[in-house]
Amino acid sequence: MESIKIKESISNLQDFYILSIRGLTGIFKRPFYSKDLIEQMDYAGAGSSVIIILVSLFIGMALSLQLSAELSILGLKMYTGKVVGISVIREIGPVTTALVFTGRAGAGIASELGSMILGHQVDTLRVFGVDPIKKLVTPRILSSIIMLPVLTIIGDAVALFGGYYISVFVSHQSGTFYWSSIKDVLIFENVFSGTVKPFIFGYLIASISCYMGLSTKGGAMGLRKSTTQAVVTSIIVIIISDFILTRVLLYMLGFSV
Amino acid sequence: MIIFDNVWFNYGSHQILKDISFSVNSNERVTVLGGSGEGKTTILRLILGLVKPDSGKIFINGEDITDKTEDELRQVRMNFSIVFQEGALFDSLNVKENVAFCLREYNKTMSEDELDSKVRELLRIVGVEDAIELMIEELSGGMQRRVAIARSLAASEPKMFLYDEPTSGLDPINADNICKLILELSQKERGFIIVTHKVFDALKVADRFIFLKDGEVVFDGNKEKLVKADIPDIKLFMEELDFKISI
């Protein structure tokens, strides 16, 4: 029984690799489903923007509050802007945006594809000679790769604004100094570190969600299971890959730890 | 011609089909009967190569399709027109776009006017031309099946129709209309395979009946034999018929 489970896990992993690679390479092969891509960009990007703005605003404000409180004990309150900037641009912005994106777009992808499996719509595509990976997976992967970095930049900007609001109106610091501190941290290393991650997170979230959705079996319970698995797996993979990417990027960009 | 040769199919650890063997000519009107979870839909999916058997062979027009790739299967699938359970229509598209889906995929040079007239023609055949601009959620169950049939006709010039529970969830009038449409479409020597658990509808349209029980074929014969069959499960199915007649 155990050996069957191990075999099944290896087979699932292999299927996942095949799907995610074919989904990605599909970007460069005909036919191109541009209408589906625009639809997905609208759903995943524009549709997620409000929630990401809201979450980023409060994260920026909470971060600024915490740092102001702690740094004022040390007499270093003027560094709030700098620490908020580095934290948001390098780490908190990309990860928070990716997590919110998973909850909204990832769950949506998994449940949509899952219900298409259960409703035999994916079978219908195959019968009509349409490759479901090209038609369904590739537009979702590409839209996530495009839209998650855009959302991350928007989220970062909003979080920095939230930090500004707390620093100036609650912590009574200079707004000019806050923005000049932010300007100081907007160097290539920080910006590169924060913008590389969303591309990879977007690819991972879309691939995992598509795979889980297309693996749906067994009615409403199966759909619930695959959607939950898509979100949980994506969250875990984002957190782990964030650590690995941070380690690699710090090394590449010459930061000493 | 479809041939199932000692086909076994498992779903995880659950055995769905056990050593199934039968053959169906493309002009035959066949119904596969059986309870839920007996593997009826799996038979249709095996015919189209959507799933592969764990063992055994499936031949379509003399060709073994068991080991064919997705690209090779495309040609095999052109022989069939399938209507899945509840239609399997794309709910993000309206009726016109659902029917036009294949036409757009296969015939990129077709103009919008040609496409529109082709879609209208297909919808006229199935009797839902007026619904052309409606979204799928605006259609009744019966209309959805009709649109699904129109869409399947747009895909190819099929030699055989496959229907998965075409009348399930429909009221008797709509179910009867679908049965009539199935018979109409089966003219010109084009046969069909219907999988259903509704014996009343099956008897209206089919000449041959295959009954599945516990993944095995327990009956294969014509209407007269089916009605007289001394198999407890078939008798249970027949009770539905007796009940309808007695009313």
Side-chain angles (χ1 to χ4, degrees):
Chain A
M1 203 65 185
E2 278 302 307
S3 68
I4 293 172
K5 274 188 178 174
I6 293 167
K7 265 187 199 170
E8 214 174 272
S9 302
I10 293 168
S11 160
N12 290 345
L13 201 62
Q14 186 184 333
D15 290 344
F16 169 72
Y17 283 133
I18 293 168
L19 180 124
S20 54
I21 291 165
R22 280 194 58 207
L24 186 68
T25 52
I27 294 169
F28 311 104
K29 287 179 194 162
R30 282 178 187 279
F32 303 117
Y33 294 101
S34 47
K35 199 178 160 207
D36 296 75
L37 174 66
I38 291 164
E39 263 177 33
Q40 288 308 315
M41 283 169 72
D42 178 47
Y43 169 74
S48 306
S49 58
V50 174
I51 186 169
I52 283 171
I53 287 170
L54 195 69
V55 169
S56 301
L57 180 71
F58 282 92
I59 285 205
M61 291 200 296
L63 186 66
S64 184
L65 264 179
Q66 290 279 14
L67 288 170
S68 298
E70 204 57 37
L71 292 173
S72 44
I73 296 168
L74 303 168
L76 299 168
K77 207 159 82 169
M78 67 282 220
Y79 289 112
T80 305
K82 193 165 190 171
V83 183
V84 166
I86 291 174
S87 316
V88 166
I89 292 163
R90 272 208 227 158
E91 196 63 42
I92 294 172
V95 173
T96 308
T97 310
L99 294 179
V100 174
F101 189 83
T102 301
R104 195 193 174 274
I109 289 171
S111 62
E112 186 187 10
L113 297 188
S115 62
M116 285 183 81
I117 285 278
L118 299 177
H120 295 292
Q121 289 168 21
V122 177
D123 279 346
T124 305
L125 287 176
R126 289 175 64 196
V127 171
F128 291 163
V130 177
D131 180 359
I133 295 183
K134 277 256 28 182
K135 171 89 178 157
L136 302 174
V137 177
T138 300
R140 281 162 178 79
I141 287 182
L142 185 56
S143 70
S144 297
I145 290 176
I146 295 169
M147 294 317 290
L148 191 54
V150 175
L151 290 169
T152 303
I153 292 167
I154 295 169
D156 285 358
V158 173
L160 294 177
F161 179 77
Y164 163 80
Y165 177 81
I166 293 296
S167 299
V168 175
F169 298 103
V170 178
S171 185
H172 307 296
Q173 297 174 44
S174 152
T176 318
F177 188 73
Y178 178 88
W179 287 121
S180 81
S181 305
I182 296 292
K183 210 175 147 193
D184 287 345
V185 298
L186 281 175
I187 52 169
F188 171 77
E189 286 82 355
N190 291 340
V191 174
F192 179 76
S193 177
T195 45
V196 164
K197 288 178 182 178
F199 286 100
I200 294 161
F201 292 160
Y203 173 57
L204 291 171
I205 294 165
S207 302
I208 293 166
S209 304
C210 286
Y211 175 74
M212 293 299 178
L214 292 174
S215 312
T216 303
K217 285 170 191 163
M221 286 287 280
L223 189 58
R224 186 180 77 175
K225 193 178 161 194
S226 61
T227 309
T228 309
Q229 275 182 338
V231 174
V232 172
T233 312
S234 297
I235 288 172
I236 294 169
V237 170
I238 288 164
I239 304 286
I240 295 172
S241 59
D242 177 59
F243 168 74
I244 297 166
L245 280 169
T246 304
R247 192 79 185 91
V248 172
L249 286 166
L250 285 177
Y251 176 77
M252 274 173 58
L253 297 169
F255 286 96
S256 59
V257 184
Chain B
M1 164 81 107
I2 299 164
I3 299 172
F4 272 50
D5 183 17
N6 303 110
V7 171
W8 291 74
F9 183 83
N10 300 327
Y11 182 78
S13 57
H14 182 48
Q15 231 162 31
I16 304 286
L17 298 177
K18 298 174 198 166
D19 203 16
I20 297 272
S21 292
F22 64 85
S23 64
V24 175
N25 285 318
S26 59
N27 60 353
E28 276 190 282
R29 305 197 289 196
V30 181
T31 292
V32 180
L33 287 162
S36 300
E38 293 287 358
K40 303 189 297 295
T41 302
T42 305
I43 286 182
L44 296 187
R45 299 186 81 218
L46 284 164
I47 292 170
L48 294 167
L50 294 169
V51 286
K52 295 205 182 291
D54 290 294
S55 71
K57 301 268 180 205
I58 296 160
F59 297 90
I60 307 290
N61 297 331
E63 264 187 287
D64 179 5
I65 64 156
T66 322
D67 298 318
K68 280 192 183 292
T69 63
E70 198 70 11
D71 282 339
E72 291 166 339
L73 283 165
R74 201 162 294 171
Q75 208 53 43
V76 174
R77 289 170 184 160
M78 298 291 268
N79 292 305
F80 301 99
S81 162
I82 183 158
V83 177
F84 284 106
Q85 200 169 358
E86 288 165 19
L89 296 166
F90 304 120
D91 43 20
S92 58
L93 306 176
N94 67 8
V95 168
K96 181 186 172 183
E97 288 307 315
N98 261 284
V99 179
F101 185 85
C102 296
L103 301 171
R104 288 195 197 281
E105 283 294 326
Y106 294 138
N107 203 337
K108 307 270 184 202
T109 55
M110 201 179 233
S111 73
E112 253 335 281
D113 285 344
E114 286 172 322
L115 194 126
D116 188 73
S117 66
K118 180 73 183 168
V119 169
R120 283 181 189 280
E121 183 196 326
L122 290 166
L123 289 174
R124 200 175 306 126
I125 292 170
V126 299
V128 284
E129 196 192 347
D130 294 342
I132 189 162
E133 296 299 337
L134 296 181
M135 292 303 288
I136 301 308
E137 73 259 19
E138 295 176 276
L139 304 178
S140 67
M143 287 166 93
Q144 287 192 19
R145 309 294 159 89
R146 286 168 179 272
V147 173
I149 292 170
R151 184 181 64 178
S152 72
L153 290 170
S156 59
E157 192 57 48
K159 292 191 178 73
M160 197 169 196
F161 293 92
L162 308 174
Y163 300 99
D164 185 4
E165 304 276 6
T167 58
S168 73
L170 297 184
D171 61 82
I173 297 165
N174 265 311
D176 189 54
N177 287 336
I178 293 290
C179 289
K180 282 177 186 158
L181 181 61
I182 289 171
L183 282 173
E184 249 173 65
L185 293 171
S186 70
Q187 306 299 319
K188 299 181 204 163
E189 292 291 293
R190 290 192 296 193
F192 58 75
I193 298 177
I194 296 179
V195 302
T196 184
H197 59 269
K198 293 181 88 173
V199 72
F200 186 70
D201 295 328
L203 287 168
K204 282 187 206 167
V205 292
D207 306 318
R208 181 181 161 195
F209 302 85
I210 294 171
F211 196 94
L212 289 178
K213 171 70 184 163
D214 297 329
E216 291 175 72
V217 175
V218 292
F219 175 87
D220 186 349
N222 62 20
K223 200 179 290 185
E224 288 71 33
K225 281 184 185 168
L226 181 78
V227 174
K228 289 176 190 160
D230 192 23
I231 298 169
D233 287 285
I234 295 181
K235 282 183 173 173
L236 266 175
F237 267 69
M238 287 301 159
E239 278 175 16
E240 181 204 345
L241 192 66
D242 292 340
F243 179 69
K244 286 197 175 179
I245 290 167
S246 69
I247 287 170

